[in-house]
Amino acid sequence: QVQLVESGGGLVQTGGSLRLSCAASGSIFRINTMGWYRQAPGKQRELVAYITSGGTTNYVDSVKGRFTSSRDNAKNTVYLQMNSLKPEDTAVYFCYVNLKTTIYASAMNYWGEGTLVTVSS
């Protein structure tokens, strides 16, 4: 079993900052890529950022220069530092972790339950 616990969402004014965290626990043999999606009401889910096991990061164009993803492998945790927030960043943010539970298991994606980020105008 694998559990992902997200935290850090909340209400912030335009231009403010938040840091999201997502910690994985349970049966974990090896973690591969970790990242973040977001979904606003009535909108399609959007990949925001991901970070590979080697530490390479990628971001959707709309957040480049404002968001930074990082990971702490010792804690099985991925972070998303969000600066200069805009109202269009308002969404539920879902973390995901691609991992193998055992050496023989296929790698799978596991999802957090989401944390709401609201940016006021």
Side-chain angles (χ1 to χ4, degrees):
Q1 72 284 3
V2 176
Q3 301 86 41
L4 301 184
V5 178
E6 295 186 43
S7 64
L11 174 65
V12 66
Q13 295 182 21
T14 297
S17 298
L18 287 172
R19 189 175 78 149
L20 308 183
S21 65
C22 175
S25 63
S27 181
I28 300 172
F29 173 73
R30 180 68 59 85
I31 293 179
N32 302 310
T33 297
M34 300 187 287
W36 300 88
Y37 281 83
R38 67 185 180 187
Q39 188 166 23
K43 302 295 183 180
Q44 295 289 138
R45 186 185 65 176
E46 177 184 44
L47 178 62
V48 178
Y50 67 85
I51 181 167
T52 70
S53 60
T56 299
T57 55
N58 286 272
Y59 305 93
V60 66
D61 285 345
S62 61
V63 309
K64 286 181 178 177
R66 300 188 298 119
F67 290 11
T68 303
S69 184
S70 60
R71 60 193 285 169
D72 185 336
N73 292 328
K75 297 180 178 180
N76 294 329
T77 299
V78 61
Y79 303 94
L80 187 67
Q81 178 67 47
M82 304 184 294
N83 299 324
S84 301
L85 283 162
K86 305 174 180 179
E88 50 262 46
D89 296 317
T90 296
V92 177
Y93 285 70
F94 299 90
C95 66
Y96 74 91
V97 179
N98 184 268
L99 61 84
K100 294 166 62 71
T101 57
T102 73
I103 189 171
Y104 298 114
S106 298
M108 294 179 58
N109 289 333
Y110 295 83
W111 294 84
E113 293 188 346
T115 184
L116 177 62
V117 172
T118 303
V119 185
S120 62
S121 301

